[in-house]
Amino acid sequence: MGLISRRSCFLNGAYGLQFMESTFTSTGTFINHSLEWFGDLGSFSWKVIRAAVTKPFEFRELIRQLDEIGSKSLPLVALAGAAVGAVLALESRSSLVRFGAKSMLPSAIVFSIIHEMGPVITGLVVSGRVGAGIGAELGSMKVTEQIDAIEASAVNPYKLLAVTRILACILVLPLLTLVADFSGVLAGWVATTLADPISFHRFLTKGFSGASFSDFLAPTFRTCVFGLIIGVVSCFQGMRTQGGTEGVGRSATSSVVLSSLFVILADVILVKLILIFFP
Amino acid sequence: MMPMSHTVTVPNSTNLPPAIIPGEPMLVIRDLHKSFGEQHVLNGINLTVARGETLTVLGRSGMGKSVLLKLIIGLENPDTGSISIHGQEIAGLGLDGMNLLRIKMGFLFQHAALYDSLTVAQNVSFPLERHTQMSESERGDRVKELLTSVGMEHDLEKMPSDISGGMQKRVGLARALALQPELLLLDEPTAGLDPITSGEIDDLILKLQKEHSLTSIVITHDLQSAKTIADRIALLEEGKVAMEGSFEDLAQSKNAFVHEFFKRDS
């Protein structure tokens, strides 16, 4: 019995050592890969910045991307904003009624949407739709040597493909956020008025009472940072694709996952900064 | 076919290649090495290509033939060694200088690498839009002229996905010729094509070489194609040039690898 227990103890010890070793190895590999990824991202960003400030500018491609990223994301963003507005109205109503603060409902909806829900929902919806699209498109171009063909034609692919998409993301996100905000407030009013009729004008007046311009400006323009993140991460993941169609799939997925993750992290940091600078 | 003259825009740079010197070799490669991780692909390549010459590079798969072309056009950087085009060492060139050289080169990729979101005509027009001062109608005429020269004049508005592999190669060739290059780099122009289409592509390359007095480097596995289009053949083995010479020189060689390579195909 004692022998068995000593043996199992020895085996457990050996297993424990092996487990610790493999854990350290995999942690080391993860750190190595992460550092390599950030290093490559830095190098990519430098090439993009250099391409962005040198002539000629690819205005035609920028306009195409504004349409592709902006106009075509509009219905989805409006729908997502409306859904959030309606749910917010339905959920908030019961809580506010319980605390006898029903009159605060318009303000609660408007402030929640403009401050947080509108920008974040827009960032996440765009990172899903546009991030996957850019990752897959550029990934496919990379594995079929189209990006090499652009470079061989003496055209800077960072300027033509990356700068235009990143700029379009930066410019379009605040505009899409306005759409999400508007449709969210509208749907919030519809949901509110179905339970307790109130005119749209009165809803807006109550909702925006006490709001200043900075309440609206800073949260909306923080989506420029979301656009930068979505554009840079998706273009980077797309342009470093390796491994055929499987690689294209991986790039599309990683573009969405990483850009969504960084949008959420940036949101936390930016909310804190906004609270500091616009108390 | 009379090529239409056009002005090529020159990037601003203080590091531009010098003017072309007559009689000088078009391309000189000295002791070129390239590795990917642990894999040594090129182990000291030495090659010289004269102006107007067609050099065909043969070799087994994975011997770095395509990498050699990508090094010449600057899509990859060599580990060591030198590549000199028009007497200008490309290692010292900045992006603008390299782009100026690229304008003088045409590259046909192994799978054509046509831009799949653009039509056939837009693909050929792409380099013209960016590097010439042509008006839209002049560009349209030039695109038609180029596509006619490769027998694709009836497919201007088709998308690359709607045409066959052989047709894609033809369009790729037209795109490579758009800026009237002095050095044409063709990466397996007949790979994956049936013998009849391969023969047509070979005839087309010969015709274009004669019309434009082009210097060409052609990568191929196809000995028949090499025999048809090459002035000289270089056979790669283990990342080095195993033998250089005419098709007949190589076919009669006693070198075991060269003999095996030629015997296998015949």
Side-chain angles (χ1 to χ4, degrees), chain A residues 90-113:
Chain A
L90 296 171
E91 287 285 345
S92 309
R93 185 177 166 73
S94 60
S95 308
L96 292 174
V97 166
R98 197 180 305 163
F99 293 109
K102 201 177 75 175
S103 61
M104 301 289 285
L105 189 59
S107 301
I109 293 169
V110 167
F111 271 73
S112 300
I113 286 174

Side-chain angles (χ1 to χ4, degrees), chain A residues 58 145-146 151 153-155, chain B residues 70 102 115-116 130-131:
Chain A
E58 298 283 349
E145 294 185 310
Q146 290 177 56
E151 204 169 351
S153 299
V155 174
Chain B
K70 288 187 175 177
R102 282 176 181 150
Y115 310 125
D116 53 15
R130 278 161 174 82
H131 300 299

